[in-house]
Amino acid sequence: MTQRRRIQRLIGSLLLVAAAGVGGGEATADSGTDGRSGGSAAEPEVRPLGHIVPVPASVAPAGEPYSLTRHTRIGVDDARPETRELGRYLAGLLRPATGFPLPVVDDRAARGGIRLRLSPGDTELGDEGYRLRSAPDGLTLTARAPAGLFRGVQTLRQQLPSAVERKSVQNGPWKIAGGTITDTPRYAYRGAMLDVSRHFFTVDEVKRYIDQLALYKVNTLHLHLSDDQGWRIAVDSWPRLTTYGGSTEVGGGPGGFYTKAQYQEIVRYAASRYQEVVPEIDMPGHTNAALASYPELNCDGVAPPLYTGTKVGFSSLCAPKAVTYDFVDDVIRELAALTPGRYLHIGGDEAHSTSHADYVAFMDKVQPVVAKYGKKVIGWHQLTGATPAEGALVQFWGLDRTPAAEKERVAAAARAGTGLILSPADRTYLDMKYTKDTRLGLAWAGYVEVRRSYDWNPAAYLPGAPADAVRGVEAPLWTETLATTDDLDVMAFPRLPGIAELGWSPAATHDWDTYKFRLADQAPRFDALDIDYYRSPEVPWPAE
Ligand code: TNX
């Protein structure tokens, strides 16, 4: 958290204390008002069912709330070992703030408690859906698979007062509104990308981001592992990629890289949050770190110096050279072996110093290598300038002003069966400035205020692309200007939850005028989780 926000928050709590003194100990809707208009009231004791982000597909409030107490047990169905693990995860979330023991027990021993149940026959719940039933006599989460229970746990968590996110014991009561939520995702692919190349982020920093994504039901973490400024993943057969190519970053800092063991730790942690990691090695452009590490990868056989600036489009692997494909085969083989997920992202963007013929030849040779090692290709949408492989997905990162012909090329690929991930830069790029006054970020795609990032429809975004070609959305976080977790926080929040909602919630629920209130009510949760965020004037935040 920045110093400025710490001070703001301190003043906010002093005002609250003062207001409580005047009002006889009751915080009122006005307490702590800091002069901003339109702020919503203090958190109610029981959050209305479904007043969360992403908004659930179906919400049926009914009856009295469920109360979590010091006697609550968490019951797990032992049909699969993951369920007990999920019970422990839930207990781990709830114990610090409630101070309750919350033992994880056999389902039968949890009468009146919180129960996590698998019901594989419940086909309407799909792969990630869940049902939450809350009543005074118990709370039950049901899903067909552990992933659904995990998503349901996030709903349960958001239904509780935001103080539940704090790491020390807080006052309850801990109530969850009565009724039933039945919820399934709109899209199977709900991603976030983190660029660990322009600035390196440690394993712990990546885990922190994974936990933030989990809260909003994101299921894919795309890691941009190589670029001009740094190579971040160990490759045993080409060790200088990391020892030399990983030794710096934008601005000349020390950079860094993940050993294979560290990378696997990230992958395992993501899996425990039901996120699939999509590793990206960007090729044939964005490769200065590799070219600097191995002279033979350059057409002229001369290694360029390491690069710590922020220009793009100046580097290329040498498409005509045989050694290039030995290199690519080794990298993809070793990376595939670290990847339980289905996809490898091969980049393919901004290859401005690769000729079109070389680009096509390169992609024609490289995509089969991905298949050979058992993975499917994802590429940035320039891949449609070559021929995307069978089963490939392309990630569209254009914007409103992208030429119609370029959009049509992507749409044509979609009509021919290529799946689409939508990351329009002027909507989903979390590194774009919110306004001209935003301290961090870039502005090449324009300013992206909170409403703009939320208020678009993925199904109708790309003219001529069939709606069912859209596999989902992804919010990329490029880090040329971002060096710390505070920097990541303030750019991702509060736009990330909006992209996550576009990915999860049914199109029929899409509505800025209701979303903005649900988003506003995430603010105390951001605070409790120590997430720095941009207090956009478009959002009716509660007073701090
Ligand atoms: C474009 S989007 C890039 C990245 C930059 C980003 C900055 C894409 C595939 N390439 O290399 O980091 O803009 O916003």
mmCIF file of all heavy atoms in Angstrom, residues 335-380:
data_model
loop_
_atom_site.group_PDB
_atom_site.id
_atom_site.type_symbol
_atom_site.label_atom_id
_atom_site.label_comp_id
_atom_site.label_asym_id
_atom_site.label_seq_id
_atom_site.Cartn_x
_atom_site.Cartn_y
_atom_site.Cartn_z
ATOM 1 N N LEU A 335 9.339 -27.038 -21.787
ATOM 2 C CA LEU A 335 8.213 -26.292 -21.212
ATOM 3 C C LEU A 335 6.951 -27.171 -21.153
ATOM 4 O O LEU A 335 6.210 -27.148 -20.159
ATOM 5 C CB LEU A 335 7.954 -25.034 -22.053
ATOM 6 C CG LEU A 335 7.024 -23.994 -21.452
ATOM 7 C CD1 LEU A 335 7.529 -23.516 -20.088
ATOM 8 C CD2 LEU A 335 6.873 -22.799 -22.394
ATOM 9 N N ALA A 336 6.743 -27.962 -22.193
ATOM 10 C CA ALA A 336 5.574 -28.857 -22.193
ATOM 11 C C ALA A 336 5.662 -29.830 -21.020
ATOM 12 O O ALA A 336 4.647 -30.158 -20.394
ATOM 13 C CB ALA A 336 5.487 -29.613 -23.520
ATOM 14 N N ALA A 337 6.893 -30.264 -20.710
ATOM 15 C CA ALA A 337 7.058 -31.213 -19.607
ATOM 16 C C ALA A 337 6.723 -30.575 -18.256
ATOM 17 O O ALA A 337 6.433 -31.277 -17.286
ATOM 18 C CB ALA A 337 8.479 -31.753 -19.596
ATOM 19 N N LEU A 338 6.754 -29.255 -18.188
ATOM 20 C CA LEU A 338 6.422 -28.553 -16.933
ATOM 21 C C LEU A 338 4.950 -28.144 -16.893
ATOM 22 O O LEU A 338 4.516 -27.472 -15.957
ATOM 23 C CB LEU A 338 7.259 -27.268 -16.824
ATOM 24 C CG LEU A 338 8.775 -27.392 -16.709
ATOM 25 C CD1 LEU A 338 9.422 -26.009 -16.787
ATOM 26 C CD2 LEU A 338 9.150 -28.081 -15.410
ATOM 27 N N THR A 339 4.222 -28.491 -17.944
ATOM 28 C CA THR A 339 2.881 -27.933 -18.129
ATOM 29 C C THR A 339 1.797 -29.001 -18.129
ATOM 30 O O THR A 339 1.627 -29.711 -19.128
ATOM 31 C CB THR A 339 2.832 -27.152 -19.472
ATOM 32 O OG1 THR A 339 3.857 -26.143 -19.436
ATOM 33 C CG2 THR A 339 1.481 -26.505 -19.704
ATOM 34 N N PRO A 340 1.063 -29.116 -17.023
ATOM 35 C CA PRO A 340 -0.069 -30.046 -17.040
ATOM 36 C C PRO A 340 -1.239 -29.519 -17.870
ATOM 37 O O PRO A 340 -2.101 -30.285 -18.287
ATOM 38 C CB PRO A 340 -0.456 -30.179 -15.558
ATOM 39 C CG PRO A 340 0.094 -28.956 -14.894
ATOM 40 C CD PRO A 340 1.276 -28.509 -15.706
ATOM 41 N N GLY A 341 -1.266 -28.238 -18.117
ATOM 42 C CA GLY A 341 -2.369 -27.619 -18.860
ATOM 43 C C GLY A 341 -2.339 -28.014 -20.332
ATOM 44 O O GLY A 341 -1.398 -28.634 -20.824
ATOM 45 N N ARG A 342 -3.381 -27.610 -21.031
ATOM 46 C CA ARG A 342 -3.556 -28.037 -22.419
ATOM 47 C C ARG A 342 -2.791 -27.191 -23.418
ATOM 48 O O ARG A 342 -2.559 -27.618 -24.539
ATOM 49 C CB ARG A 342 -5.052 -27.951 -22.788
ATOM 50 C CG ARG A 342 -5.911 -28.917 -22.010
ATOM 51 C CD ARG A 342 -7.373 -28.500 -22.048
ATOM 52 N NE ARG A 342 -7.595 -27.301 -21.237
ATOM 53 C CZ ARG A 342 -8.766 -26.670 -21.150
ATOM 54 N NH1 ARG A 342 -9.807 -27.085 -21.856
ATOM 55 N NH2 ARG A 342 -8.889 -25.598 -20.374
ATOM 56 N N TYR A 343 -2.424 -25.982 -23.049
ATOM 57 C CA TYR A 343 -1.971 -25.014 -24.048
ATOM 58 C C TYR A 343 -0.538 -24.536 -23.839
ATOM 59 O O TYR A 343 -0.095 -24.375 -22.702
ATOM 60 C CB TYR A 343 -2.861 -23.764 -23.995
ATOM 61 C CG TYR A 343 -4.315 -24.043 -24.269
ATOM 62 C CD1 TYR A 343 -5.256 -24.016 -23.236
ATOM 63 C CD2 TYR A 343 -4.736 -24.340 -25.560
ATOM 64 C CE1 TYR A 343 -6.602 -24.267 -23.497
ATOM 65 C CE2 TYR A 343 -6.078 -24.591 -25.832
ATOM 66 C CZ TYR A 343 -7.003 -24.556 -24.799
ATOM 67 O OH TYR A 343 -8.320 -24.806 -25.056
ATOM 68 N N LEU A 344 0.119 -24.251 -24.953
ATOM 69 C CA LEU A 344 1.346 -23.448 -24.930
ATOM 70 C C LEU A 344 1.105 -22.239 -25.826
ATOM 71 O O LEU A 344 0.655 -22.374 -26.961
ATOM 72 C CB LEU A 344 2.544 -24.229 -25.476
ATOM 73 C CG LEU A 344 3.088 -25.409 -24.685
ATOM 74 C CD1 LEU A 344 4.430 -25.842 -25.273
ATOM 75 C CD2 LEU A 344 3.271 -25.083 -23.204
ATOM 76 N N HIS A 345 1.427 -21.077 -25.302
ATOM 77 C CA HIS A 345 1.249 -19.834 -26.045
ATOM 78 C C HIS A 345 2.573 -19.526 -26.731
ATOM 79 O O HIS A 345 3.613 -19.480 -26.075
ATOM 80 C CB HIS A 345 0.880 -18.721 -25.058
ATOM 81 C CG HIS A 345 0.199 -17.531 -25.661
ATOM 82 N ND1 HIS A 345 0.718 -16.840 -26.716
ATOM 83 C CD2 HIS A 345 -0.965 -16.899 -25.326
ATOM 84 C CE1 HIS A 345 -0.103 -15.821 -27.018
ATOM 85 N NE2 HIS A 345 -1.136 -15.851 -26.188
ATOM 86 N N ILE A 346 2.540 -19.351 -28.049
ATOM 87 C CA ILE A 346 3.788 -19.113 -28.780
ATOM 88 C C ILE A 346 3.914 -17.664 -29.241
ATOM 89 O O ILE A 346 4.748 -17.346 -30.087
ATOM 90 C CB ILE A 346 3.932 -20.079 -29.983
ATOM 91 C CG1 ILE A 346 2.738 -19.954 -30.936
ATOM 92 C CG2 ILE A 346 4.068 -21.518 -29.481
ATOM 93 C CD1 ILE A 346 2.925 -20.726 -32.253
ATOM 94 N N GLY A 347 3.087 -16.794 -28.685
ATOM 95 C CA GLY A 347 3.244 -15.360 -28.981
ATOM 96 C C GLY A 347 2.868 -15.049 -30.420
ATOM 97 O O GLY A 347 1.737 -15.229 -30.828
ATOM 98 N N GLY A 348 3.847 -14.560 -31.165
ATOM 99 C CA GLY A 348 3.603 -14.277 -32.582
ATOM 100 C C GLY A 348 3.184 -12.850 -32.878
ATOM 101 O O GLY A 348 2.862 -12.520 -34.014
ATOM 102 N N ASP A 349 3.206 -11.983 -31.866
ATOM 103 C CA ASP A 349 2.781 -10.589 -32.069
ATOM 104 C C ASP A 349 3.955 -9.723 -32.518
ATOM 105 O O ASP A 349 5.122 -10.043 -32.247
ATOM 106 C CB ASP A 349 2.203 -10.017 -30.768
ATOM 107 C CG ASP A 349 3.217 -10.055 -29.637
ATOM 108 O OD1 ASP A 349 3.863 -11.103 -29.469
ATOM 109 O OD2 ASP A 349 3.378 -9.043 -28.932
ATOM 110 N N GLU A 350 3.617 -8.644 -33.129
ATOM 111 C CA GLU A 350 4.572 -7.566 -33.419
ATOM 112 C C GLU A 350 5.918 -8.050 -33.951
ATOM 113 O O GLU A 350 6.965 -7.540 -33.548
ATOM 114 C CB GLU A 350 4.814 -6.731 -32.149
ATOM 115 C CG GLU A 350 3.559 -6.044 -31.668
ATOM 116 C CD GLU A 350 3.748 -5.311 -30.340
ATOM 117 O OE1 GLU A 350 4.488 -5.799 -29.469
ATOM 118 O OE2 GLU A 350 3.133 -4.254 -30.197
ATOM 119 N N ALA A 351 5.879 -9.031 -34.867
ATOM 120 C CA ALA A 351 7.131 -9.522 -35.450
ATOM 121 C C ALA A 351 7.518 -8.596 -36.596
ATOM 122 O O ALA A 351 7.618 -9.010 -37.748
ATOM 123 C CB ALA A 351 6.949 -10.966 -35.917
ATOM 124 N N HIS A 352 7.712 -7.323 -36.258
ATOM 125 C CA HIS A 352 7.903 -6.307 -37.300
ATOM 126 C C HIS A 352 9.223 -6.452 -38.041
ATOM 127 O O HIS A 352 9.404 -5.880 -39.091
ATOM 128 C CB HIS A 352 7.816 -4.894 -36.710
ATOM 129 C CG HIS A 352 6.538 -4.633 -35.981
ATOM 130 N ND1 HIS A 352 5.316 -5.098 -36.429
ATOM 131 C CD2 HIS A 352 6.277 -3.963 -34.827
ATOM 132 C CE1 HIS A 352 4.368 -4.719 -35.583
ATOM 133 N NE2 HIS A 352 4.925 -4.037 -34.596
ATOM 134 N N SER A 353 10.179 -7.165 -37.451
ATOM 135 C CA SER A 353 11.428 -7.313 -38.190
ATOM 136 C C SER A 353 11.599 -8.735 -38.731
ATOM 137 O O SER A 353 12.713 -9.173 -38.994
ATOM 138 C CB SER A 353 12.624 -6.857 -37.348
ATOM 139 O OG SER A 353 12.495 -7.265 -36.029
ATOM 140 N N THR A 354 10.482 -9.434 -38.875
ATOM 141 C CA THR A 354 10.481 -10.739 -39.544
ATOM 142 C C THR A 354 9.696 -10.509 -40.844
ATOM 143 O O THR A 354 8.621 -9.911 -40.790
ATOM 144 C CB THR A 354 9.714 -11.790 -38.696
ATOM 145 O OG1 THR A 354 10.057 -11.626 -37.321
ATOM 146 C CG2 THR A 354 10.021 -13.209 -39.150
ATOM 147 N N SER A 355 10.184 -10.994 -41.978
ATOM 148 C CA SER A 355 9.411 -10.796 -43.218
ATOM 149 C C SER A 355 8.158 -11.667 -43.148
ATOM 150 O O SER A 355 8.105 -12.645 -42.390
ATOM 151 C CB SER A 355 10.250 -11.190 -44.438
ATOM 152 O OG SER A 355 10.380 -12.605 -44.487
ATOM 153 N N HIS A 356 7.158 -11.304 -43.934
ATOM 154 C CA HIS A 356 5.917 -12.087 -43.907
ATOM 155 C C HIS A 356 6.190 -13.546 -44.258
ATOM 156 O O HIS A 356 5.702 -14.467 -43.588
ATOM 157 C CB HIS A 356 4.884 -11.475 -44.868
ATOM 158 C CG HIS A 356 3.611 -12.244 -44.894
ATOM 159 N ND1 HIS A 356 2.763 -12.333 -43.800
ATOM 160 C CD2 HIS A 356 3.058 -13.016 -45.869
ATOM 161 C CE1 HIS A 356 1.729 -13.096 -44.106
ATOM 162 N NE2 HIS A 356 1.889 -13.536 -45.361
ATOM 163 N N ALA A 357 7.008 -13.763 -45.291
ATOM 164 C CA ALA A 357 7.299 -15.147 -45.710
ATOM 165 C C ALA A 357 7.990 -15.914 -44.580
ATOM 166 O O ALA A 357 7.658 -17.075 -44.302
ATOM 167 C CB ALA A 357 8.177 -15.129 -46.956
ATOM 168 N N ASP A 358 8.933 -15.260 -43.904
ATOM 169 C CA ASP A 358 9.636 -15.924 -42.797
ATOM 170 C C ASP A 358 8.664 -16.215 -41.646
ATOM 171 O O ASP A 358 8.741 -17.267 -41.001
ATOM 172 C CB ASP A 358 10.770 -15.028 -42.277
ATOM 173 C CG ASP A 358 12.037 -15.154 -43.121
ATOM 174 O OD1 ASP A 358 12.053 -15.982 -44.064
ATOM 175 O OD2 ASP A 358 12.995 -14.406 -42.835
ATOM 176 N N TYR A 359 7.769 -15.275 -41.403
ATOM 177 C CA TYR A 359 6.801 -15.445 -40.312
ATOM 178 C C TYR A 359 5.940 -16.686 -40.573
ATOM 179 O O TYR A 359 5.764 -17.536 -39.701
ATOM 180 C CB TYR A 359 5.924 -14.188 -40.200
ATOM 181 C CG TYR A 359 4.936 -14.221 -39.049
ATOM 182 C CD1 TYR A 359 5.311 -13.817 -37.772
ATOM 183 C CD2 TYR A 359 3.622 -14.650 -39.240
ATOM 184 C CE1 TYR A 359 4.409 -13.834 -36.714
ATOM 185 C CE2 TYR A 359 2.716 -14.688 -38.193
ATOM 186 C CZ TYR A 359 3.108 -14.267 -36.926
ATOM 187 O OH TYR A 359 2.211 -14.291 -35.898
ATOM 188 N N VAL A 360 5.439 -16.777 -41.805
ATOM 189 C CA VAL A 360 4.576 -17.910 -42.160
ATOM 190 C C VAL A 360 5.362 -19.218 -42.079
ATOM 191 O O VAL A 360 4.893 -20.209 -41.488
ATOM 192 C CB VAL A 360 3.967 -17.700 -43.568
ATOM 193 C CG1 VAL A 360 3.233 -18.954 -44.033
ATOM 194 C CG2 VAL A 360 3.028 -16.489 -43.559
ATOM 195 N N ALA A 361 6.579 -19.211 -42.617
ATOM 196 C CA ALA A 361 7.403 -20.428 -42.584
ATOM 197 C C ALA A 361 7.686 -20.833 -41.133
ATOM 198 O O ALA A 361 7.609 -22.016 -40.774
ATOM 199 C CB ALA A 361 8.717 -20.184 -43.329
ATOM 200 N N PHE A 362 7.976 -19.833 -40.321
ATOM 201 C CA PHE A 362 8.275 -20.097 -38.902
ATOM 202 C C PHE A 362 7.077 -20.735 -38.207
ATOM 203 O O PHE A 362 7.188 -21.772 -37.549
ATOM 204 C CB PHE A 362 8.676 -18.774 -38.223
ATOM 205 C CG PHE A 362 9.023 -18.921 -36.768
ATOM 206 C CD1 PHE A 362 10.302 -19.267 -36.369
ATOM 207 C CD2 PHE A 362 8.051 -18.702 -35.784
ATOM 208 C CE1 PHE A 362 10.622 -19.395 -35.013
ATOM 209 C CE2 PHE A 362 8.357 -18.830 -34.432
ATOM 210 C CZ PHE A 362 9.652 -19.183 -34.054
ATOM 211 N N MET A 363 5.912 -20.138 -38.386
ATOM 212 C CA MET A 363 4.720 -20.654 -37.706
ATOM 213 C C MET A 363 4.320 -22.036 -38.247
ATOM 214 O O MET A 363 3.841 -22.880 -37.502
ATOM 215 C CB MET A 363 3.562 -19.661 -37.840
ATOM 216 C CG MET A 363 3.761 -18.414 -36.974
ATOM 217 S SD MET A 363 4.004 -18.875 -35.234
ATOM 218 C CE MET A 363 4.179 -17.251 -34.477
ATOM 219 N N ASP A 364 4.548 -22.255 -39.546
ATOM 220 C CA ASP A 364 4.247 -23.572 -40.115
ATOM 221 C C ASP A 364 5.144 -24.650 -39.515
ATOM 222 O O ASP A 364 4.747 -25.802 -39.390
ATOM 223 C CB ASP A 364 4.420 -23.564 -41.643
ATOM 224 C CG ASP A 364 3.248 -22.873 -42.344
ATOM 225 O OD1 ASP A 364 2.247 -22.550 -41.661
ATOM 226 O OD2 ASP A 364 3.343 -22.644 -43.573
ATOM 227 N N LYS A 365 6.362 -24.272 -39.147
ATOM 228 C CA LYS A 365 7.271 -25.267 -38.546
ATOM 229 C C LYS A 365 7.065 -25.412 -37.043
ATOM 230 O O LYS A 365 7.261 -26.495 -36.488
ATOM 231 C CB LYS A 365 8.727 -24.850 -38.801
ATOM 232 C CG LYS A 365 9.202 -25.153 -40.195
ATOM 233 C CD LYS A 365 10.710 -25.152 -40.215
ATOM 234 C CE LYS A 365 11.197 -25.298 -41.650
ATOM 235 N NZ LYS A 365 12.582 -24.916 -41.818
ATOM 236 N N VAL A 366 6.711 -24.324 -36.401
ATOM 237 C CA VAL A 366 6.697 -24.335 -34.929
ATOM 238 C C VAL A 366 5.392 -24.921 -34.368
ATOM 239 O O VAL A 366 5.414 -25.638 -33.364
ATOM 240 C CB VAL A 366 6.971 -22.909 -34.387
ATOM 241 C CG1 VAL A 366 6.633 -22.796 -32.923
ATOM 242 C CG2 VAL A 366 8.429 -22.534 -34.649
ATOM 243 N N GLN A 367 4.283 -24.635 -35.022
ATOM 244 C CA GLN A 367 3.019 -25.152 -34.471
ATOM 245 C C GLN A 367 3.003 -26.684 -34.363
ATOM 246 O O GLN A 367 2.541 -27.219 -33.351
ATOM 247 C CB GLN A 367 1.830 -24.642 -35.277
ATOM 248 C CG GLN A 367 1.641 -23.126 -35.149
ATOM 249 C CD GLN A 367 0.396 -22.676 -35.884
ATOM 250 O OE1 GLN A 367 -0.691 -22.654 -35.317
ATOM 251 N NE2 GLN A 367 0.537 -22.360 -37.149
ATOM 252 N N PRO A 368 3.531 -27.413 -35.353
ATOM 253 C CA PRO A 368 3.558 -28.873 -35.205
ATOM 254 C C PRO A 368 4.428 -29.350 -34.038
ATOM 255 O O PRO A 368 4.205 -30.430 -33.493
ATOM 256 C CB PRO A 368 4.127 -29.365 -36.549
ATOM 257 C CG PRO A 368 3.826 -28.263 -37.517
ATOM 258 C CD PRO A 368 3.929 -26.997 -36.718
ATOM 259 N N VAL A 369 5.423 -28.540 -33.656
ATOM 260 C CA VAL A 369 6.256 -28.924 -32.516
ATOM 261 C C VAL A 369 5.418 -28.898 -31.228
ATOM 262 O O VAL A 369 5.545 -29.764 -30.366
ATOM 263 C CB VAL A 369 7.481 -27.982 -32.393
ATOM 264 C CG1 VAL A 369 8.330 -28.350 -31.188
ATOM 265 C CG2 VAL A 369 8.308 -28.001 -33.673
ATOM 266 N N VAL A 370 4.559 -27.925 -31.139
ATOM 267 C CA VAL A 370 3.675 -27.839 -29.963
ATOM 268 C C VAL A 370 2.791 -29.093 -29.908
ATOM 269 O O VAL A 370 2.643 -29.723 -28.851
ATOM 270 C CB VAL A 370 2.809 -26.554 -30.021
ATOM 271 C CG1 VAL A 370 1.803 -26.521 -28.885
ATOM 272 C CG2 VAL A 370 3.707 -25.308 -29.986
ATOM 273 N N ALA A 371 2.269 -29.477 -31.064
ATOM 274 C CA ALA A 371 1.417 -30.682 -31.128
ATOM 275 C C ALA A 371 2.219 -31.934 -30.784
ATOM 276 O O ALA A 371 1.744 -32.805 -30.055
ATOM 277 C CB ALA A 371 0.796 -30.807 -32.519
ATOM 278 N N LYS A 372 3.466 -31.968 -31.283
ATOM 279 C CA LYS A 372 4.324 -33.144 -31.032
ATOM 280 C C LYS A 372 4.496 -33.376 -29.529
ATOM 281 O O LYS A 372 4.560 -34.512 -29.073
ATOM 282 C CB LYS A 372 5.687 -32.904 -31.698
ATOM 283 C CG LYS A 372 6.707 -33.988 -31.458
ATOM 284 C CD LYS A 372 7.929 -33.822 -32.364
ATOM 285 C CE LYS A 372 9.070 -33.119 -31.660
ATOM 286 N NZ LYS A 372 10.274 -32.962 -32.456
ATOM 287 N N TYR A 373 4.547 -32.309 -28.767
ATOM 288 C CA TYR A 373 4.708 -32.455 -27.314
ATOM 289 C C TYR A 373 3.366 -32.427 -26.578
ATOM 290 O O TYR A 373 3.300 -32.183 -25.379
ATOM 291 C CB TYR A 373 5.711 -31.426 -26.786
ATOM 292 C CG TYR A 373 7.094 -31.713 -27.323
ATOM 293 C CD1 TYR A 373 7.731 -30.839 -28.196
ATOM 294 C CD2 TYR A 373 7.737 -32.914 -27.001
ATOM 295 C CE1 TYR A 373 8.983 -31.130 -28.724
ATOM 296 C CE2 TYR A 373 8.988 -33.219 -27.530
ATOM 297 C CZ TYR A 373 9.603 -32.330 -28.388
ATOM 298 O OH TYR A 373 10.837 -32.639 -28.914
ATOM 299 N N GLY A 374 2.309 -32.682 -27.325
ATOM 300 C CA GLY A 374 1.016 -32.957 -26.693
ATOM 301 C C GLY A 374 0.224 -31.726 -26.280
ATOM 302 O O GLY A 374 -0.710 -31.835 -25.477
ATOM 303 N N LYS A 375 0.570 -30.563 -26.827
ATOM 304 C CA LYS A 375 -0.130 -29.336 -26.410
ATOM 305 C C LYS A 375 -0.817 -28.667 -27.590
ATOM 306 O O LYS A 375 -0.491 -28.926 -28.748
ATOM 307 C CB LYS A 375 0.864 -28.352 -25.780
ATOM 308 C CG LYS A 375 1.596 -28.905 -24.567
ATOM 309 C CD LYS A 375 0.654 -29.252 -23.432
ATOM 310 C CE LYS A 375 1.376 -30.003 -22.322
ATOM 311 N NZ LYS A 375 0.438 -30.533 -21.306
ATOM 312 N N LYS A 376 -1.751 -27.799 -27.252
ATOM 313 C CA LYS A 376 -2.405 -26.986 -28.282
ATOM 314 C C LYS A 376 -1.812 -25.587 -28.291
ATOM 315 O O LYS A 376 -1.371 -25.084 -27.256
ATOM 316 C CB LYS A 376 -3.901 -26.891 -27.985
ATOM 317 C CG LYS A 376 -4.585 -28.227 -28.206
ATOM 318 C CD LYS A 376 -6.076 -28.101 -28.117
ATOM 319 C CE LYS A 376 -6.692 -29.412 -28.566
ATOM 320 N NZ LYS A 376 -8.007 -29.621 -28.011
ATOM 321 N N VAL A 377 -1.882 -24.989 -29.464
ATOM 322 C CA VAL A 377 -1.292 -23.662 -29.668
ATOM 323 C C VAL A 377 -2.263 -22.566 -29.249
ATOM 324 O O VAL A 377 -3.451 -22.614 -29.575
ATOM 325 C CB VAL A 377 -0.961 -23.463 -31.166
ATOM 326 C CG1 VAL A 377 -0.679 -22.002 -31.486
ATOM 327 C CG2 VAL A 377 0.206 -24.351 -31.581
ATOM 328 N N ILE A 378 -1.738 -21.581 -28.537
ATOM 329 C CA ILE A 378 -2.407 -20.275 -28.485
ATOM 330 C C ILE A 378 -1.418 -19.273 -29.063
ATOM 331 O O ILE A 378 -0.204 -19.378 -28.829
ATOM 332 C CB ILE A 378 -2.808 -19.850 -27.058
ATOM 333 C CG1 ILE A 378 -3.722 -20.898 -26.408
ATOM 334 C CG2 ILE A 378 -3.505 -18.482 -27.073
ATOM 335 C CD1 ILE A 378 -4.245 -20.517 -25.021
ATOM 336 N N GLY A 379 -1.914 -18.336 -29.847
ATOM 337 C CA GLY A 379 -1.047 -17.285 -30.369
ATOM 338 C C GLY A 379 -1.789 -15.968 -30.330
ATOM 339 O O GLY A 379 -3.027 -15.940 -30.323
ATOM 340 N N TRP A 380 -1.043 -14.866 -30.306
ATOM 341 C CA TRP A 380 -1.678 -13.563 -30.485
ATOM 342 C C TRP A 380 -2.300 -13.537 -31.887
ATOM 343 O O TRP A 380 -1.916 -14.332 -32.752
ATOM 344 C CB TRP A 380 -0.658 -12.437 -30.302
ATOM 345 C CG TRP A 380 -0.103 -12.381 -28.895
ATOM 346 C CD1 TRP A 380 1.146 -12.761 -28.497
ATOM 347 C CD2 TRP A 380 -0.781 -11.954 -27.708
ATOM 348 N NE1 TRP A 380 1.291 -12.594 -27.136
ATOM 349 C CE2 TRP A 380 0.118 -12.094 -26.632
ATOM 350 C CE3 TRP A 380 -2.064 -11.461 -27.434
ATOM 351 C CZ2 TRP A 380 -0.211 -11.769 -25.306
ATOM 352 C CZ3 TRP A 380 -2.395 -11.136 -26.124
ATOM 353 C CH2 TRP A 380 -1.482 -11.280 -25.086
#
